[in-house]
Amino acid sequence: MILKLIIFFIAVGWVMSALVRYFLRSKLKKFVDQVNEAQKEQYRQQRKPSHGDINVDYIPKNNTKKSPDQISGGEYVDYEEVKD
């Protein structure tokens, strides 16, 4: 009688541990999927360009383009191409 009772408790314990592992894995997988989806959504929002939000802090007064003749400074350096 005691042997049957011990075997019964061992069997019940084994079945219960298997069920707990199954449910914990499924809940943990669901939690991981939710966290991954939230992280992907956050990444998408960061990468999304904002349209129409342009702020100009400084506008130069002299906005004319200079021709190459008007550019002062710089120096022409003569060079030769060396073939390897």
Side-chain angles (χ1 to χ4, degrees):
M1 176 73 180
I2 300 270
L3 184 60
K4 287 183 182 180
L5 189 61
I6 292 173
I7 292 174
F8 175 74
F9 281 123
I10 290 174
V12 168
W14 181 75
V15 169
M16 292 297 286
S17 68
L19 288 174
V20 167
R21 275 185 287 174
Y22 172 75
F23 286 117
L24 282 178
R25 282 184 187 162
S26 66
K27 292 294 182 183
L28 186 61
K29 184 180 182 320
K30 187 181 286 187
F31 175 72
V32 168
D33 289 342
Q34 287 176 348
V35 169
N36 283 341
E37 187 60 37
Q39 189 176 15
K40 286 179 187 176
E41 184 63 32
Q42 184 181 10
Y43 179 73
R44 280 188 219 120
Q45 287 178 355
Q46 288 176 350
R47 298 283 299 175
K48 189 168 108 176
S50 58
H51 297 289
D53 295 336
I54 298 174
N55 295 326
V56 179
D57 293 333
Y58 173 73
I59 300 174
K61 293 180 182 177
N62 187 3
N63 199 10
T64 60
K65 291 187 176 182
K66 295 182 178 180
S67 66
D69 296 336
Q70 294 175 338
I71 296 176
S72 63
E75 183 177 324
Y76 179 75
V77 178
D78 195 18
Y79 70 95
E80 290 183 22
E81 286 190 31
V82 178
K83 295 186 179 183
D84 292 332

